Structure formats: C-alpha cells, structure tokens
Amino acid sequence: MGRVDIQKESQTATREPDSIQAYISAHLQESHEFDVLIDDDRAREAADLVGMKIDGDELVVTLVHCKYSSEPTPGGRVADLYELCGQAVRGAKWRQDHLSPLLNHLDRRARSFRARTGV
C-alpha cells in the first residue's frame, strides 16, 4: 500500500489510490476480515465500506466510516472526531429492523450503479 493523502477521503469512481478509503479497503481485503466488501460511498450511504462475513449460521455486518483530516498534518482535532462519530450514529439506523433494510439498500444501489455504468 502506498502513500495516503489524509485530506482525501473518497476513492471516487476513479479509484484514487492515495485516498483514505482506498487504503482502508486494500487493508481490509488483504486481512481477509470479510467474505464480501462493498463500496457504498455516495450520497445517502450506509457507510463508506460495508463488510460482510458468514460466522457459523450468522451474517456479521460491519459498517466502516472513513474521514479525511481537516488539516494536512496528523493531529487530534475534536471537530474531525465529532464528524466521524456523527457518521457512526447515523449509520446505527441500519442496525434496526434486522438486515432487510440494509440489504435492500445495497441491492438498490448496486442495480442503480450497474444501470449507470454497465459495470
């Protein structure tokens, strides 16, 4: 994995290799932590990345939120932490009503993406 620009959060459709999201995605793929890793990074996302793994007879879902730094140098900025915590709290709604709403959301977005891009 290469250098990361801490002020570049999203890997975007062009798969920016120096973004935080690209780095985290590559790390999670190399760790084999999940059976499936989905990029949901767009407006109204459940999370930047959604990891899924079968554990016995359960489907374990992990919502991964990435956050860029508001400053070019690393440091403990409370405003950045609040932003990330806000994303996590908003993502908690996907834990309600079992997995159906989240899986329907991901399926709908995948179909929309395919219709737009052919991929």
Side-chain angles (χ1 to χ4, degrees):
M1 289 182 269
R3 186 180 179 296
V4 176
D5 179 348
I6 65 172
Q7 290 193 283
K8 187 186 293 183
E9 178 178 321
S10 179
Q11 59 186 336
T12 71
T14 60
R15 297 297 187 240
E16 299 289 328
D18 62 340
S19 69
I20 295 166
Q21 185 187 9
Y23 176 84
I24 295 298
S25 179
H27 172 74
L28 292 172
Q29 289 175 54
E30 289 175 9
S31 74
H32 303 286
E33 180 69 25
F34 303 111
D35 297 321
V36 175
L37 186 63
I38 299 170
D39 178 348
D40 190 38
D41 182 28
R42 295 193 315 271
R44 296 177 300 282
E45 67 189 22
D48 294 305
L49 300 165
V50 179
M52 297 183 190
K53 183 175 188 132
I54 302 293
D55 185 12
D57 62 350
E58 291 185 338
L59 175 62
V60 178
V61 177
T62 303
L63 302 179
V64 179
H65 297 282
C66 301
K67 179 64 184 147
Y68 68 94
S69 175
S70 62
E71 300 289 331
T73 55
R77 283 176 285 283
V78 174
D80 290 349
L81 178 62
Y82 282 158
E83 178 70 26
L84 186 61
C85 290
Q87 286 180 315
V89 168
R90 287 187 301 276
K93 74 177 184 178
W94 297 107
R95 302 280 307 192
Q96 301 169 357
D97 301 321
H98 304 287
L99 281 177
S100 294
L102 176 60
L103 295 177
N104 289 336
H105 164 83
L106 294 172
D107 180 59
R108 188 172 48 256
R109 288 166 70 85
R111 289 174 190 273
S112 172
F113 181 78
R114 185 173 203 161
R116 280 193 328 272
T117 66
V119 179

